[in-house]
Amino acid sequence: MTTSPSSNAFIQSATIAIQDIQLQTALDRGLGDSTAKRVRSVDETTDGYALRQQGRNAKLRALDQLPETLELLEARLTAKGIGVLWAIDGEECNQHVLDIARRHDVHSIVKGKSMATEETELNHTLEAAGLEVIETDLGEFVAQLAREKPSHIVAPILHMTKEQVSDLFVEHLGIEQSYEPADLAHAARLHLRQKFIHADMGITGANFAVAETGTMAIVTNEGNGRMCSSLPRVHVVVVGIEKVIPTVDDFSTLVQMLPRAAGGTPISTYVHLMGGPATPEDPDGPNHMYVILLDNGRSHIHGTEYAEALACIRCGACLNSCPVFQNVGGHAYGATYSGPIGAVITPLFKGLHNAAPLPHASSLCGMCKSACPMDIDLPGMLLKLRRDLVKEGETDPTLTAAIKGWAVSMQSPTLYGISGTAASAATRSMAGPSGQIHHLPNMLGNWTKNRDFPAFAPKSFHQLWRERQRRES
Amino acid sequence: MSSRDKILAELRSHRHPFPDAAPRPDAYIPVTRFSAEDRVARFTAELQKRFGKVHLAADPQSAVDTVLSLLEADKRVIAWDGLPLAGLGDALAARQIDILHLRARHDERIPALEDAETIRVGITGVDAAFATTGTMALVTAKGHGRVPSLLPPVHIGLLPRERIFERLEDWFVDQGREAMHQSRSIALVTGPSSTGDIEHHTVLGAHGPGTVHVVVF
């Protein structure tokens, strides 16, 4: 596995990303008209605003009553013969999977797309134990061949061009060079089909865990999730504890909002509702099914003012609509989750000091909140995280001193006037004939690295106002 | 203390984070619009948008003819027991087309799947369909397995028109809820398997059936 740069290297990674022509090509082609498609498909609904609140409130009710909702889910799953395990962190989660694999003499594993197991780096643990693990979502499969991490919650290889995918398939699957996505998808189908049939175990995530009925729901367009959960003799679901929702009615709303937000379609091609291992009355399915409820920092977030972030249904709409993400892609964030939701939850998961640049990786334009089907206040939370950074001393002391100085001078008309006159004189002396400064001195030089700074006007507003009053009197 | 108890204790140590969350509504707002339209027409239009092929048959006999016309040189199909279309079994027998019913479990499962993998067409009933999304619901039970709609490149769903609901919510409020309690697997299927993972370019037949026919009768 390639080690990705840390979240603290965001500025450096982003600087490289915006100059990477291959990445920029992939982002342009891959993002396409995703925002327009999402807006159109929400527009087709009965009442976009009211539905958003209906879906949001379903998630908030679940979070407000989270321990009770989880206990109900556990009881209903257990009653159906599903083994329920709890994992406080990634290590415990991976150990559970390993134990299950050993108990059932598992050698080969097929995996559906799962961000939770990206968090826990499950593949690494399983491979180290000598098990074969194959990602089966097309994008995840490509990322696995490239030994890369997914760069987008929903579209894992948004960062890759079809030419790069083709090169990988020529190398690993021995196909003839083709840049046709249909040829590439077909080659993957042929290769993975045999893996599905012969695998001992399937691992998937879940998009929703319905407490009322004890049902794990997974949405896919490819159908690989349904295969991983149907063909092998053992099926394991790894799911974050925040994915639980109370009722079937909540599910009916949310399952239609997720695909509209994610891809602009009314419903995903497959919604698979998984309700337990095979029985004599219902024999076509796995012999054993397990659900691992993963905490990994979620119960901590639940007790903070950022609890709303747990309402996220991982649709990716905030990534697609974010001007920062659109330009730098997902890997620059150096974390499992990228884009605005990643910038919020990564510091909460990994600690603010391990992801200090991320709360600033936003122009606070508000597109993420307007795109979010759960109406999560992402810009508000980014601002609060910036406040936390200052509180925890994670901010440049010179900047803090400068802002304090600015605050003092803003409160005194005399100081304000003096500093204004000084700034005007200084900047005009530095500016060329265009009135623009190309290089500011010292630490201010960061501002002019990528743009010009206009010189102050010769006369301040106060001066002009006084002159006008004199003329008129 | 187990991890379970630690996690639940940590969650319980917090005040309720969203005391203002709206209570569960008495009536949920449906997601999709539906005005006094014909359910079959709407179902057809929505499924066609998702690359599904819809065949409307006036009566069961012409539905049988439609299914036969979709079979090429196929000598075997894989299908559910007790298909909801009277006369289909006899018609297949008359054409000397064998029906594979997958039963094997445990040790015989992999050879059974390899055998099923050689078959081009899977035929299933449809337990319910939703007009506003063009979706069919396939509920597993004995003889109604997952494989016929999973492995073959072509899936034919047999849909009696009275099973078409206006919306997904209309089924889940009652029958679907019961199916979620009882069944081991419910697949909501809307058109052929597809992927957009390579440059957002839609390709059909990613893993599941690349061709989906629904015969409505």
Side-chain angles (χ1 to χ4, degrees), chain A residues 2 140 144 196 200 205 259 300 369 383 400 424 435 455:
Chain A
T2 333
E140 294 282 351
Q144 189 182 30
F196 282 124
D200 302 312
H300 167 71
K369 183 175 193 297
L383 261 179
T400 313
S424 171

Side-chain angles (χ1 to χ4, degrees), chain B residues 105-167:
Chain B
R105 294 234 36 92
H106 305 284
D107 295 344
E108 311 91 71
R109 179 133 173 105
I110 289 175
L113 291 175
E114 279 176 333
D115 184 32
E117 173 66 12
T118 62
I119 294 176
R120 192 183 71 95
V121 178
I123 305 176
T124 71
V126 178
D127 294 277
F130 317 131
T132 59
T133 54
T135 302
M136 41 181 173
L138 310 175
V139 181
T140 59
K142 195 167 196 170
H144 289 192
R146 313 178 191 198
V147 171
S149 60
L150 197 60
L151 287 185
V154 179
H155 172 213
I156 302 174
L158 304 175
L159 172 60
R161 62 182 69 215
E162 66 273 11
R163 292 190 191 170
I164 305 179
F165 290 75
E166 291 175 8
R167 301 180 171 97

Side-chain angles (χ1 to χ4, degrees), chain A residues 29 46 54 61 64 92 136 139 162 189 193 198 212 222 226 249-250 267 272 283-285 287 299, chain B residues 3 14 16 18 22 24 28-30 33 50 105 114 117 146 149 177 185 193 195 197 199 207-208:
Chain A
R29 290 179 186 168
T46 47
Q54 183 165 291
R61 279 195 297 278
D64 197 57
E92 187 177 11
T136 62
K162 56 180 185 280
R189 177 188 170 107
R193 182 53 74 102
H198 293 276
E212 178 189 351
E222 298 183 2
R226 207 181 152 213
D249 311 282
D250 297 327
I267 192 162
H272 193 204
D284 187 5
N287 298 333
S299 65
Chain B
S3 292
H14 309 143
H16 287 278
F18 301 105
R24 187 181 171 194
Y28 281 68
I29 307 162
R33 291 184 201 156
R50 302 293 293 277
R105 294 234 36 92
E114 279 176 333
E117 173 66 12
R146 313 178 191 198
S149 60
R177 187 188 309 268
S185 160
S193 157
T195 181
D197 273 352
E199 295 189 356
H207 285 299

